[in-house]
């Protein structure tokens, strides 16, 4: 069976022949019907492959989510164990303990900034990092659909999309 590219080429050739009038109407219609049947068979095969790939993609997404949850649980366990170790050292009054092949100790971390609850309106300008503005394309789309003129800024575009049902 021909590839989808070959079938597309056949259609283009048939359209050219039709425009030039090189084939009889019956022969042309027969060729179109035959090519349409080939295209329908090829498209059905493509649809099956796409559905297969999409189900594999969904399975991978579910596995990623499962592994992310497992990773988070492991991270929480490590955090909990380290917290218990730190608390044990503090309560025992020990700063450093040699335990087999490991040494466990604690020390004060360097200071870090902790923001107060109502910090945003009180922060001086010099501590703020300027950021590039982001464009609200959803609002633009809504305005353009409602007839707002945004000439030189934005316009509506329509693209073709494939639907498989």
């Amino acid at each position: 069976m021909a590839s989808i590219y070959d079938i597309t080429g056949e259609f283009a050739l048939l359209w050219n022949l039709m425009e030039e009038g090189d084939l009889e109407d019956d022969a042309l219609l027969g060729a179109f019907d035959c090519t349409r049947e080939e295209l329908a068979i090829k498209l059905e095969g493509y649809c099956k492959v796409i559905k297969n790939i999409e189900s594999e993609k969904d399975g991978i997404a579910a596995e990623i989510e499962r592994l992310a949850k497992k990773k988070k649980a492991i991270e929480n366990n490590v955090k909990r164990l380290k917290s218990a170790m730190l608390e044990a050292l503090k309560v025992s009054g020990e700063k450093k303990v040699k335990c087999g092949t490991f040494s466990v100790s604690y020390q004060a971390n360097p200071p870090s900034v902790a923001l107060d609850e109502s910090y945003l309106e009180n922060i001086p300008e010099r501590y703020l990092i300027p950021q590039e503005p982001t464009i609200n394309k959803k609002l633009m789309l809504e305005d353009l659909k409602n007839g707002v003129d945004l000439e030189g800024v934005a316009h509506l575009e329509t693209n073709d999309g494939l639907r498989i049902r």
Side-chain angles (χ1 to χ4, degrees):
M1 175 168 268
S3 73
I4 198 164
Y5 304 106
D6 294 337
I7 295 170
T8 303
E10 288 177 31
F11 267 115
L13 177 65
L14 289 172
W15 281 111
N16 286 340
L17 291 174
M18 183 180 74
E19 287 174 353
E20 294 171 4
D22 290 346
L23 283 179
E24 298 289 322
D25 287 344
D26 291 341
L28 193 59
L29 289 176
F32 265 117
D33 286 343
C34 188
T35 305
R36 275 192 192 105
E37 288 175 24
E38 278 187 79
L39 180 63
I41 292 168
K42 186 59 72 175
L43 290 176
E44 180 182 12
Y46 270 55
C47 288
K48 289 177 180 177
V49 169
I50 288 170
K51 290 297 179 187
N52 229 358
I53 292 170
E54 285 176 342
S55 69
E56 186 177 354
K57 176 191 70 145
D58 293 342
I60 290 170
E63 185 65 8
I64 288 170
E65 185 178 332
R66 184 187 72 81
L67 289 173
K69 287 178 182 177
K70 186 173 183 174
K71 177 185 174 195
K72 185 65 176 170
I74 290 169
E75 289 171 347
N76 288 340
N77 282 338
V78 168
K79 188 176 179 181
R80 185 180 39 81
L81 291 170
K82 284 183 175 181
S83 178
M85 291 170 65
L86 178 62
E87 186 64 24
L89 285 175
K90 285 181 178 180
V91 169
S92 71
E94 298 287 331
K95 288 257 188 201
K96 184 175 186 177
V97 174
K98 179 84 171 136
C99 46
T101 57
F102 300 97
S103 289
V104 181
S105 63
Y106 77 93
Q107 66 185 30
N109 289 328
S112 62
V113 174
L115 299 173
D116 297 334
E117 282 190 33
S118 62
Y119 68 91
L120 202 51
E121 61 274 357
N122 299 327
I123 295 179
E125 190 72 29
R126 68 186 192 134
Y127 297 119
L128 298 177
I129 299 172
Q131 305 214 359
E132 291 292 319
T134 56
I135 298 169
N136 187 343
K137 285 189 174 182
K138 286 184 180 180
L139 180 59
M140 277 186 160
L141 175 64
E142 188 178 307
D143 285 350
L144 286 167
K145 284 182 176 179
N146 291 329
V148 175
D149 183 21
L150 295 175
E151 190 173 329
V153 175
H155 62 278
L156 292 176
E157 277 187 2
T158 302
N159 298 317
D160 293 332
L162 183 66
R163 304 289 189 270
I164 299 174
R165 298 175 212 199

